[in-house]
Amino acid sequence: MTTAPAKAGWRFRQPSVIPGFGLTLGFSLAYLTLIILIPLSGLVWRSASLGWTDFWAIATDRRTVKALEISFGTAFIAAAINVVFGTIVAWVLVRYRFPGRRVIDAMVDLPFALPTAVAGIALTTLYSPKGWMGALLAPLGIKVAYTPLGIVIALVFIGLPFVVRTVQPIIEEIDKEVEEAAATLGANRFQTIFLVLFPGLAPAVVTGFALAFARGVGEYGSVIFIAGNLPYISEIAPLLIVIRLEEYDYAAATAIATIMLALSFAMLLVINLIQSWTRKRYG
Amino acid sequence: MADPELYPADVHHEHASLAVTERPWARAALMLVAFGFLAIFLLLPLVVVFEQAFSRGIGAFVEAINEHDTIAAIKLTLLVAVISVPLNLVFGVAAAWAIAKFEFKGKAFLITLIDLPFSVSPVISGLVYVLLFGASSLLGPWLKLHGIVILFAVPGIVLATVFVTFPFVARELIPLMQEQGTGDEEAALSLGANGWQTIWHVTLPNIKWGLLYGVLLCNARAMGEFGAVSVVSGHIRGMTNTMPLHVEILYNEYNAVGAFAVASVLAGLALVTLVLKTLLELRYGAEIAATRGH
């Protein structure tokens, strides 16, 4: 490596004796372009060719706005619920020893592995007024199936592993000496957890929240069965895209999809900023 | 970790364990909350699938599975997975090779682009192909003229599945191969192996468990994908219905036993995936990339 004198100036790639750079990068780029980039830019292009007035009319249509509100609102609530319970689950799995821990740990990934349509009909059956959970909640006057609450339940199911799997490795890495130091300096357990440990977990928790939220916003399969899909009440944005497509209203489908994409990317950007800020602050 | 010579284990650890863990009642409460949450949100839905599938007995279950359209759906799902998983496998290896073994400009951006499909709603993943190949698209009339059918047929379903499962193998292999570096390959090359020999005899054995792990997750998603496939499939019974779509049709026809019978097959597949995944993590955890999840 050191035998060749370093050349000044811009260079696309560092020299290497390993072969196949051109072939593998070329193939990867071609495949990426064909499968992902061309279809996605097609969406943006079609949306741009709508013209501003048409686009604005679709974007401010009451049904569109409501559907976006419902999608983003329920995804936010579900991700918040997952942050609380997902962190507790991760804590219990890392810190405590009990029989069946491995099995429970593996079960956390169920929402990744279970097809969303299966989760959808299972949750709907469970929370319908005659279902096991539905019958339990009905006397309390709580209706879950065919209401926005049902959407939240489905999104909690879908988002849980994102939070647990992001927070878990960070809890594993916590240096016990930090806790010991806090305890030695007179902090009680509550103070140690909330003032010493949680700030360190914050970036992971924010990331888990972001992943669960992003996934929840776009989720379709598990939601449409339990939601009841009433326009203005429990109709999510991805479903509205499908409805517009079935009406051959490609313009509306395209516009809603573009808004969803733009909002998701903006959100991820903001969350990335928050994350790098928390990392600087507490990292 | 405390140095045992500096801190005699007996006194110190007794003391430390009280300070760095929760009181018994707090432990019990946290465990109760965690188990209760997991039981309600993960276990119950899984139990319901099998309970409903067998609610009318095994005979009704077998009958529901052994139905013409169901068998067609199972075959189509297998076909789609058999095509789309190898495609993404080849891409994953190629992309990981380029990214992990070389230093070049724009690498971070490329990794972001590879992860892009994860942040796109499945419905939009299907929609982009409808816009690209549909009757109102630029390509639509040309395709029709030449008799090429993509949408509402197997090619469209495969394309949507490839889109959705695109990152799985690549994102598993990239961190793994980055961690392994280029030393083994350089040694093989310096001993006279050519490029293909190096990949086949050196790199692939190094990454095989990570590769298997990625393929496992990729396959589970390919067989279970609903939203993207639903948009491009056209829902033609016995023709373009994958298993998840067939579940939806049966469920909407109020055929609960049929829907849950097919769903239980998919749930069984998910459980097998989880078991294999856990075994891979337990045995080859060190050889599988640290970035778990998805």
Side-chain angles (χ1 to χ4, degrees):
Chain A
M1 290 298 267
T2 47
T3 49
K7 272 187 208 155
W10 193 88
R11 153 200 309 271
F12 172 61
R13 139 175 116 90
Q14 302 296 313
S16 162
V17 294
I18 309 246
F21 178 72
L23 179 69
T24 52
L25 187 70
F27 173 76
S28 302
L29 287 179
Y31 188 74
L32 176 77
T33 309
L34 280 176
I35 299 287
I36 309 289
L37 298 183
I38 291 181
L40 268 184
S41 43
L43 172 75
V44 177
W45 182 75
R46 280 285 278 266
S47 172
S49 63
L50 276 179
W52 185 241
T53 10
D54 285 355
F55 187 87
W56 188 248
I58 297 164
T60 53
D61 175 58
R62 211 168 79 81
R63 195 165 162 190
T64 310
V65 174
K66 267 289 169 196
L68 287 168
E69 271 178 27
I70 292 163
S71 273
F72 280 81
T74 52
F76 189 91
I77 296 169
I81 293 174
N82 273 328
V83 158
V84 176
F85 289 97
T87 308
I88 294 177
V89 168
W91 183 268
V92 168
L93 283 176
V94 174
R95 284 300 175 96
Y96 303 157
R97 290 292 168 269
F98 47 87
R101 192 177 61 93
R102 284 260 158 76
V103 177
I104 294 176
D105 193 28
M107 275 288 291
V108 169
D109 279 331
L110 181 72
F112 284 151
L114 193 71
T116 52
V118 177
I121 63 169
L123 289 171
T124 311
T125 306
L126 207 51
Y127 286 94
S128 75
K130 284 182 189 164
W132 295 341
M133 292 297 289
L136 224 72
L137 295 170
L140 306 171
I142 303 172
K143 274 190 71 182
V144 177
Y146 320 121
T147 69
L149 192 55
I151 305 177
V152 173
I153 297 279
L155 296 183
V156 168
F157 173 84
I158 290 297
L160 177 69
F162 288 95
V163 176
V164 177
R165 292 300 182 230
T166 330
V167 177
Q168 201 174 7
I170 309 298
I171 297 180
E172 275 166 9
E173 276 171 22
I174 292 177
D175 196 345
K176 278 258 177 188
E177 284 177 22
V178 176
E179 288 166 72
E180 289 172 4
T184 315
L185 292 170
N188 63 34
R189 189 62 190 155
F190 192 77
Q191 288 170 322
T192 307
I193 289 179
F194 280 91
L195 300 177
V196 179
L197 298 184
F198 270 23
L201 292 181
V205 170
V206 172
T207 309
F209 176 89
L211 291 172
F213 183 40
R215 175 70 202 266
V217 166
E219 180 55 25
Y220 176 73
S222 60
V223 173
I224 55 163
F225 296 98
I226 200 171
N229 307 325
L230 289 170
Y232 309 108
I233 296 167
S234 59
E235 184 179 69
I236 54 167
L239 177 68
L240 190 57
I241 295 177
V242 172
I243 290 174
R244 294 303 186 219
L245 262 182
E246 281 167 359
E247 293 167 346
Y248 298 104
D249 188 352
Y250 286 3
T254 310
I256 301 166
T258 312
I259 296 167
M260 276 191 73
L261 272 185
L263 284 175
S264 305
F265 287 145
M267 214 173 60
L268 283 181
L269 193 74
V270 169
I271 284 160
N272 269 333
L273 290 176
I274 297 175
Q275 230 181 307
S276 61
W277 179 79
T278 38
R279 219 171 261 146
K280 256 182 230 151
R281 178 90 166 67
Y282 299 107
Chain B
M1 282 292 117
D3 187 338
E5 284 180 28
L6 281 177
Y7 305 99
D10 44 56
V11 195
H12 179 77
H13 275 266
E14 178 105 354
H15 207 77
S17 67
L18 272 175
V20 296
T21 192
E22 290 76 52
R23 289 171 192 286
W25 64 263
R27 278 169 165 258
L30 281 176
M31 281 167 80
L32 199 68
V33 169
F35 296 158
F37 186 78
L38 292 178
I40 289 174
F41 280 95
L42 297 186
L43 194 60
L44 274 184
L46 193 62
V47 173
V48 158
V49 171
F50 291 100
E51 190 262 343
Q52 290 282 319
F54 293 102
S55 58
R56 299 259 173 83
I58 294 190
F61 173 83
V62 172
E63 206 172 290
I65 296 291
N66 202 10
E67 199 244 340
H68 177 263
D69 291 341
T70 306
I71 291 174
I74 294 174
K75 280 183 182 161
L76 180 60
T77 296
L78 291 176
L79 175 70
V80 169
V82 161
I83 301 172
S84 48
V85 173
L87 279 176
N88 284 335
L89 167 68
V90 172
F91 163 74
V93 174
W97 182 269
I99 288 170
K101 303 290 178 193
F102 300 93
E103 289 304 322
F104 57 93
K105 297 269 191 292
K107 192 195 260 192
F109 184 60
L110 180 59
I111 296 176
T112 310
L113 285 183
I114 291 174
D115 268 344
L116 198 58
F118 277 154
S119 42
V120 174
S121 169
V123 166
I124 299 178
S125 312
L127 170 72
V128 291
Y129 289 109
V130 174
L131 295 178
L132 201 62
F133 299 118
S136 71
S137 70
L138 282 176
L139 280 172
W142 186 88
L143 290 173
K144 196 168 183 189
L145 194 69
H146 291 79
I148 302 170
V149 183
I150 293 179
L151 281 185
F152 314 126
V154 176
I157 298 174
V158 170
L159 275 174
T161 307
V162 169
F163 185 109
V164 170
T165 58
F166 187 86
F168 279 99
V169 179
R171 68 174 299 143
E172 213 50 58
L173 289 185
I174 291 168
L176 175 65
M177 284 168 72
Q178 274 177 331
E179 205 176 293
Q180 288 176 346
T182 55
D184 289 0
E185 283 78 13
E186 280 164 9
L189 290 163
S190 73
L191 291 171
N194 66 32
W196 290 113
Q197 287 171 326
T198 307
I199 290 190
W200 193 253
H201 294 291
V202 176
T203 309
L204 280 183
N206 274 346
I207 61 170
K208 59 175 185 271
W209 299 116
L211 194 70
L212 199 59
Y213 191 80
V215 166
L216 188 69
L217 301 185
C218 184
N219 179 64
R221 183 69 193 265
M223 289 188 169
E225 179 50 31
F226 179 77
V229 169
S230 162
V231 171
V232 295
S233 115
H235 303 272
I236 309 165
R237 274 187 96 126
M239 297 278 290
T240 64
N241 250 350
T242 60
M243 286 169 80
L245 298 180
H246 199 53
V247 168
E248 183 197 21
I249 289 194
L250 293 173
Y251 186 81
N252 287 342
E253 287 170 350
Y254 301 103
N255 180 356
V257 171
F260 278 101
V262 181
S264 70
V265 176
L266 286 168
L269 181 83
L271 289 178
V272 170
T273 303
L274 284 185
V275 169
L276 291 177
K277 181 173 174 295
T278 310
L279 289 178
L280 278 174
E281 283 169 0
L282 286 180
R283 280 216 60 184
Y284 305 104
E287 296 163 50
I288 297 172
T291 51
R292 303 264 170 78
H294 301 292

